[in-house]
Amino acid sequence: MTAQRGFARRTVALAVTASVAALTLAACGDNSDSKGSSGTKAGGHNAADVSFSKEMIQHHRQAVEMASLAADHASSAQVKSLATKIKGAQDPEIKTMSGWLTSWGEKVPQDMTGMGHDMSSSTPGMMTDADMGKLEKASGAMFDSMFLNMMVEHHEGAVAMAKTEKADGSYRPATALAADVITAQSAEISQMNKMLGKG
């Protein structure tokens, strides 16, 4: 009888272990597919995430280009400091979004910086080639004023794009980045308007 009881206990223990393992696997499967099939692709991202990443990469590249000009052309220490901050924040974000696109099997946009590729008509807040040419030729106080006015418009475009991503995107890291863009760049818009005497 003792042997039978021991065998029964082992059988019950094995059955319980198998049940727990099955439930654990089922739970893992449920989590990985929690997005369902409502327009999302593999990896939990959708078309809005792809568009946001591609457009924001180009947008950030232009901001970095504008910020790089400040080192040689700006006269204000405040403008130079702000430009350094903008470049420091946006360079890593370009790398992050490029990584997402690569992992999704999407092409990272070609870097058209300084190549005369005018994207202003399709992306909010982007400067035209003519605008960038004027900024590059300016210096001193004129550069400072031009840079701040252009960067306010540029940031406002980025905030608009980020709000769209927050509303329509499904990839959590992308919507989190969009939220960071809204917070950081809205604060910088206020700062720049004060520097221009508008705040």
Side-chain angles (χ1 to χ4, degrees), residues 7-72:
F7 177 75
R9 282 182 189 146
R10 281 196 298 277
T11 304
V12 169
L14 285 170
V16 169
T17 303
S19 297
V20 169
L23 286 169
T24 303
L25 287 171
C28 289
D30 287 348
N31 285 342
S32 66
D33 195 33
S34 60
K35 295 282 181 188
S37 58
S38 57
T40 59
K41 298 178 184 177
H45 70 282
N46 62 13
D49 299 314
V50 174
S51 294
F52 169 75
S53 299
K54 286 185 175 182
E55 290 182 9
M56 194 61 85
I57 283 170
Q58 296 288 50
H59 205 269
H60 274 17
R61 280 174 180 162
Q62 190 179 66
V64 168
E65 183 183 4
M66 291 165 70
S68 296
L69 289 172
D72 297 323

Side-chain angles (χ1 to χ4, degrees), residues 22-142:
L23 286 169
T24 303
L25 287 171
C28 289
D30 287 348
N31 285 342
S32 66
D33 195 33
S34 60
K35 295 282 181 188
S37 58
S38 57
T40 59
K41 298 178 184 177
H45 70 282
N46 62 13
D49 299 314
V50 174
S51 294
F52 169 75
S53 299
K54 286 185 175 182
E55 290 182 9
M56 194 61 85
I57 283 170
Q58 296 288 50
H59 205 269
H60 274 17
R61 280 174 180 162
Q62 190 179 66
V64 168
E65 183 183 4
M66 291 165 70
S68 296
L69 289 172
D72 297 323
H73 297 257
S75 63
S76 163
Q78 268 189 303
V79 169
K80 287 186 178 185
S81 175
L82 176 65
T84 301
K85 182 182 171 189
I86 289 169
K87 191 174 186 299
Q90 298 195 20
D91 260 338
E93 290 177 352
I94 291 169
K95 287 174 186 165
T96 296
M97 291 182 285
S98 297
W100 295 340
L101 290 170
T102 301
S103 72
W104 299 335
E106 299 281 348
K107 284 186 180 179
V108 176
Q110 186 181 349
D111 189 350
M112 305 300 285
T113 303
M115 294 175 68
H117 182 65
D118 199 339
M119 286 185 60
S120 59
S121 59
S122 60
T123 310
M126 288 287 280
M127 298 298 108
T128 64
D129 289 341
D131 291 332
M132 292 300 290
K134 285 176 190 173
L135 187 65
E136 197 169 353
K137 288 172 187 170
S139 61
M142 184 175 284

Side-chain angles (χ1 to χ4, degrees), residues 145-157:
S145 176
M146 198 178 291
F147 172 84
L148 291 170
N149 278 295
M150 285 184 179
M151 196 59 85
V152 165
E153 185 181 341
H154 206 268
H155 273 24
E156 285 171 347

